[in-house]
Amino acid sequence: NLSTDQQTLVDNASWDIAFDISSQQTAGVFMNESAGLIQGQSAPRLKVYDAKVNAFSNTPVLDTFTKYELLNKELSWKNDGAFNVLRNASNPFDFGWGMYNPAQQSVQGTKVFVLEKRNGTYLKFMITLLTGEGYTFTYANLDGSNSVTKSFKKADYAGKPLVYYSFDSEKFIPVYPNYRVDLMYQRYVTQLFDVSTNTYINYT
């Protein structure tokens, strides 16, 4: 905060995903693209993939989904998280991870994702519902074991634009401070074209 010199330091790996609650019209869900450092080199970071399965009960196939890594968009935080990028831009009801149902005034989950945690293990993940009150999401091992379902109410985080969650602690993390924020610094991943290999590389 520029006027009070208050600052908050947040560990790069303290959270994994963040849910946009800044307005009733947003349904952005983001992944943490930051990574720590090990002897000056970037440590493994969280990765998000399109699971390429039609239902949460199905088991994603490792060699199939790892070809479809998803990243947050760089230009906006409004509905442009990694979990939103698969949406059909010509359909205003499509939020990527789910579809808005006008009759029920909610976004209902339609897409399954795979998360590769920093330790190399995998989870399948689905945001199942967003209502005016809050979000519900579920995740499990790829074979469906150790399933966890979590919900939160937006009202419990009033005044904060994002709600953060950690899969390691299975808790919502108080990342955003209680004072007004003017500047925020964080690592992110951008795609750069490598002329020598004629491919794109993900650069932190």
Side-chain angles (χ1 to χ4, degrees):
N1 181 297
L2 295 176
S3 60
T4 63
D5 288 337
Q6 289 173 288
Q7 60 179 314
T8 299
L9 302 180
V10 179
D11 187 279
N12 277 315
S14 63
W15 62 279
D16 295 312
I17 55 175
F19 301 86
D20 185 353
I21 60 167
S22 60
S23 80
Q24 294 289 357
Q25 285 73 45
T26 55
V29 183
F30 307 86
M31 53 91 69
N32 184 355
E33 295 178 1
S34 294
L37 293 175
I38 298 176
Q39 297 179 343
Q41 300 298 316
S42 290
R45 62 174 175 82
L46 182 75
K47 295 180 180 179
V48 175
Y49 303 100
D50 180 356
K52 292 296 177 182
V53 295
N54 296 323
F56 189 77
S57 56
N58 295 343
T59 301
V61 179
L62 187 67
D63 291 339
T64 301
F65 67 72
T66 49
K67 300 174 184 176
Y68 302 96
E69 184 180 355
L70 308 174
L71 296 169
N72 302 323
K73 288 194 175 180
E74 299 174 21
L75 300 182
S76 170
W77 283 8
K78 295 297 181 188
N79 299 320
D80 279 330
F83 300 93
N84 303 103
V85 296
L86 295 175
R87 73 176 183 267
N88 179 356
S90 63
N91 184 350
F93 293 157
D94 189 356
F95 286 93
W97 62 261
M99 197 72 67
Y100 180 68
N101 184 324
Q104 298 186 13
Q105 295 187 330
S106 63
V107 183
Q108 298 169 359
T110 56
K111 180 67 72 175
V112 183
F113 302 89
V114 169
L115 304 174
E116 183 179 351
K117 297 172 65 179
R118 296 174 187 86
N119 62 8
T121 60
Y122 294 96
L123 297 172
K124 58 181 176 180
F125 171 80
M126 187 174 189
I127 307 146
T128 54
L129 186 66
L130 167 62
T131 67
E133 289 189 351
Y135 287 83
T136 298
F137 59 95
T138 187
Y139 59 93
N141 295 331
L142 295 187
D143 62 3
S145 60
N146 298 325
S147 180
V148 176
T149 297
K150 294 281 186 176
S151 297
F152 69 87
K153 294 181 178 180
K154 295 179 181 180
D156 293 339
Y157 301 89
K160 300 183 187 303
L162 298 169
V163 175
Y164 300 82
Y165 184 78
S166 164
F167 292 105
D168 286 337
S169 67
E170 298 190 353
K171 292 180 180 178
F172 295 98
I173 307 299
V175 170
Y176 204 86
N178 291 321
Y179 51 83
R180 193 192 78 229
V181 172
D182 295 312
L183 296 175
M184 180 183 292
Y185 299 87
Q186 65 183 55
R187 290 187 179 130
Y188 66 97
V189 178
T190 192
Q191 286 197 321
L192 301 178
F193 186 70
D194 183 0
V195 214
S196 61
T197 61
N198 202 35
T199 58
Y200 284 92
I201 58 172
N202 292 334
Y203 183 78
T204 301

